[in-house]
Amino acid sequence: MINFLANPARFMSATAWVAPAFGVLAALLFVIGVRDGLFHSPAEQFQGETVRIMYVHVPAAWWSLGVYTFMAGASFVSLVWRHAMADLAARAAAPIGATFAAICLITGSIWGAPTWGTWWEWDGRLTSMLILFLTYLGYLALVAAVDDEEKASRLAAILCLAGFVNIPIVHFSVEWWSTLHQPASVLRPGGSSIDASMRAPLFTMAGAYFSLFVALAIAHMRASVHRRRVEAARLRAAGAGP
């Protein structure tokens, strides 16, 4: 599959339907998830109605980690096998992952104010998530700052792989250190401790975030292929001039 999609023409042919289909799916899942999260799921015993921000915050946290993991895999393939489409995939994922991380931090602060009595605390989970967000920004800044595209891809891939060490720190921080965050309650050994009436809209919203990621990433990659084709045609035309 990697070799098949390494060819831009094959990639463009195989993904012509992906972005529109996943865009529609994302919109549908967001409508269902927001409706169920706001109106059909119960309030929490101790947090009351403020728990509803979970349906935005938690999937954003999950997929900010998931997108960075995808970027690290794509960066590894790009760095080792000089896979141009893998580089495009990592570049396309970066702004989406950065946005998810920003949503996670912002909604977490809003949730933390009434729950913990503070907008911010330098605990393990919050600090490592902030570092993840800054790593996303560093990746984007590096790609934008280096004019040589091949050099930028190589440096960005190295930065991405170096930053991947933070992913297990974010994930396991609540187990390694004493933090304000509670331990995992959904994806944990022994099954979820969250009632099904809350779990269903949470997973629906997680599916919405994932579908949005696929739609935006594929659309970005296809736009990048089109741009490179236009630039190549322009260079050929300039070389064939009088």
Side-chain angles (χ1 to χ4, degrees):
M1 179 61 73
I2 291 178
N3 290 332
F4 177 80
L5 293 178
N7 183 295
R10 287 198 294 263
F11 171 82
M12 295 297 280
S13 175
T15 60
W17 60 273
V18 174
F22 275 87
V24 171
L25 179 60
L28 179 62
L29 290 176
F30 271 118
V31 169
I32 296 172
V34 169
R35 180 202 64 188
D36 290 349
L38 288 179
F39 303 111
H40 294 169
S41 67
E44 205 268 337
Q45 180 180 2
F46 300 105
Q47 300 181 43
E49 300 294 341
T50 59
V51 77
R52 299 188 191 283
I53 203 169
M54 168 181 72
Y55 303 115
V56 177
H57 171 77
V58 173
W62 286 347
W63 285 115
S64 61
L65 300 178
V67 171
Y68 197 91
T69 301
F70 171 83
M71 282 177 57
S75 296
F76 179 80
V77 172
S78 171
L79 197 61
V80 173
W81 288 286
R82 297 292 193 271
H83 195 310
M85 297 305 297
D87 174 56
L88 286 185
R91 292 187 182 211
I96 307 169
T99 303
F100 288 173
I103 292 172
C104 172
L105 290 169
I106 293 169
T107 56
S109 293
I110 296 172
W111 194 4
T115 304
W116 300 329
T118 180
W119 293 89
W120 183 264
E121 185 72 28
W122 292 98
D123 76 345
R125 172 60 61 82
L126 293 172
T127 303
S128 56
M129 179 56 72
L130 177 61
I131 291 172
L132 176 62
F133 175 62
L134 295 176
T135 305
Y136 273 120
L137 296 186
Y139 180 97
L140 292 169
L142 179 59
V143 169
V146 179
D147 293 331
D148 186 325
E149 192 162 339
E150 183 176 348
K151 183 179 180 180
S153 299
R154 187 165 59 253
L155 293 175
I158 294 171
L159 173 62
C160 181
L161 292 172
F164 185 70
V165 70
N166 188 45
I167 297 299
I169 295 175
V170 177
H171 181 72
F172 292 109
S173 57
V174 294
E175 299 177 17
W176 292 345
W177 302 295
S178 175
T179 74
L180 291 174
H181 282 79
Q182 67 182 38
S185 55
V186 180
L187 304 175
R188 66 171 195 166
S192 173
S193 63
I194 294 181
D195 187 78
S197 61
M198 291 182 167
R199 198 162 58 243
L202 184 62
F203 284 134
T204 300
M205 289 295 289
Y209 273 86
F210 173 74
S211 300
L212 180 63
F213 163 67
V214 174
L216 294 177
I218 293 296
H220 188 288
M221 291 178 67
R222 289 177 61 84
S224 297
V225 172
H226 282 304
R227 176 181 58 81
R228 291 184 176 185
R229 285 176 173 177
V230 169
E231 290 177 353
R234 179 176 56 80
L235 290 174
R236 287 195 300 269

